[in-house]
Amino acid sequence: MHPNRILDTDKKFQSQTFLDTIPQDFKLKHGDVIELYVYPKKGYILIESQITTNLNTLNPQVIRNSMPYTIDQNGLTNLPIIGQVELSDLTEQEAEIKLTKLYSEFYIDPFVNVLITNKFITVYRGGSDAKQLNITRPDITILDAIAQAGGIPENARSSRIKILRMVNGVTLTEEIDLSGIDDIKKAESYIKPNDIIYIEPGINAHFFREVSPIITTVSSSVVIYAFFANLNK
């Protein structure tokens, strides 16, 4: 009757306290795309520009002087001035620390900012359209992702939601049921880049529209047959 209902509870349900799952920082890998920002004097120019624009009663401006850099199959990326650098398996913070040391040879007290720009997940919303969501932080839960994709549509089953994840080259599948409250702990788990959330379609209303004329025809035929059968008695 209501395939898209979520978090339903019964009268005997007692709320519980769950342990939080610790999100893991994104790690760079081959094929990832990053943006790199390097400023001398610990990023003094960033603060100075904001103070200057504030004094002029204008909105602070964000300085952007980067371009995308791709990590190749060997985990290397070619960066300005310092050339080929291995960044694979490093988090954004670890990459910033490494690059700060390398750029210190060319800049005074460099301020380095690294942003991974191509982290995303895919959400298949039942019989509706699929959504590909860019994720910029590691603390997004399954429920957050479903909400950002538009929620569970009417033609989908909240009781059959699958999470697909590649682990060590193998695709693993976990199924959760959001029609009740029992699986809320799983739903509060944190997603990872390249995850696939598949919300299974429910009963298709289009199917009933297609078969409705057939059912009507059959019903009419039965009524007519019954009518003439009674006349012959």
Side-chain angles (χ1 to χ4, degrees), residues 163-205:
I163 313 300
L164 285 75
R165 176 174 297 170
M166 183 73 72
V167 179
N168 297 326
V170 179
T171 301
L172 304 180
T173 303
E174 178 114 11
E175 187 172 297
I176 64 176
D177 180 357
L178 291 185
S179 63
I181 202 72
D182 293 339
D183 274 358
I184 183 63
K185 185 176 181 180
K186 290 184 179 180
E188 290 293 346
S189 299
Y190 296 105
I191 59 173
K192 291 186 177 182
N194 302 318
D195 277 358
I196 296 176
I197 300 177
Y198 175 73
I199 305 174
E200 186 172 300
I203 299 176
N204 194 343

Side-chain angles (χ1 to χ4, degrees), residues 32-50:
D32 277 346
V33 179
I34 65 171
E35 288 185 356
L36 173 67
Y37 301 91
V38 181
Y39 303 100
K41 298 181 180 179
K42 297 182 179 180
Y44 174 77
I45 190 174
L46 296 172
I47 304 300
E48 182 185 35
S49 64
Q50 294 189 26

Side-chain angles (χ1 to χ4, degrees), residues 91-230:
T91 65
E92 289 177 328
Q93 184 177 11
E94 291 170 343
E96 289 171 353
I97 294 173
K98 181 173 183 176
L99 293 177
T100 297
K101 293 179 180 179
L102 294 175
Y103 277 109
S104 294
E105 298 182 13
F106 306 94
Y107 295 97
I108 299 174
D109 295 327
F111 175 82
V112 177
N113 186 219
V114 175
L115 299 176
I116 307 176
T117 62
N118 69 321
K119 297 298 187 183
F120 64 90
I121 65 167
T122 305
V123 182
Y124 291 91
R125 302 176 59 242
S128 183
D129 56 330
K131 301 281 187 179
Q132 198 169 71
L133 306 176
N134 289 322
I135 53 176
T136 57
R137 64 181 200 275
D139 61 342
I140 299 177
T141 66
I142 295 172
L143 278 180
D144 292 335
I146 292 175
Q148 291 181 27
I152 299 178
E154 294 183 357
N155 62 338
R157 300 177 62 183
S158 60
S159 60
R160 299 291 296 275
I161 298 177
K162 295 182 176 66
I163 313 300
L164 285 75
R165 176 174 297 170
M166 183 73 72
V167 179
N168 297 326
V170 179
T171 301
L172 304 180
T173 303
E174 178 114 11
E175 187 172 297
I176 64 176
D177 180 357
L178 291 185
S179 63
I181 202 72
D182 293 339
D183 274 358
I184 183 63
K185 185 176 181 180
K186 290 184 179 180
E188 290 293 346
S189 299
Y190 296 105
I191 59 173
K192 291 186 177 182
N194 302 318
D195 277 358
I196 296 176
I197 300 177
Y198 175 73
I199 305 174
E200 186 172 300
I203 299 176
N204 194 343
H206 180 71
F207 169 77
F208 289 103
R209 290 194 295 267
E210 291 292 332
V211 301
S212 179
I214 300 175
I215 295 175
T216 301
T217 301
V218 173
S219 299
S220 300
S221 300
V222 171
V223 171
I224 294 173
Y225 173 80
F227 174 76
F228 284 105
N230 290 329

Side-chain angles (χ1 to χ4, degrees), residues 9-18 181:
T9 60
D10 56 29
K11 296 181 180 179
K12 297 181 179 180
F13 172 76
Q14 295 182 353
S15 61
Q16 302 176 22
T17 302
F18 296 98
I181 202 72

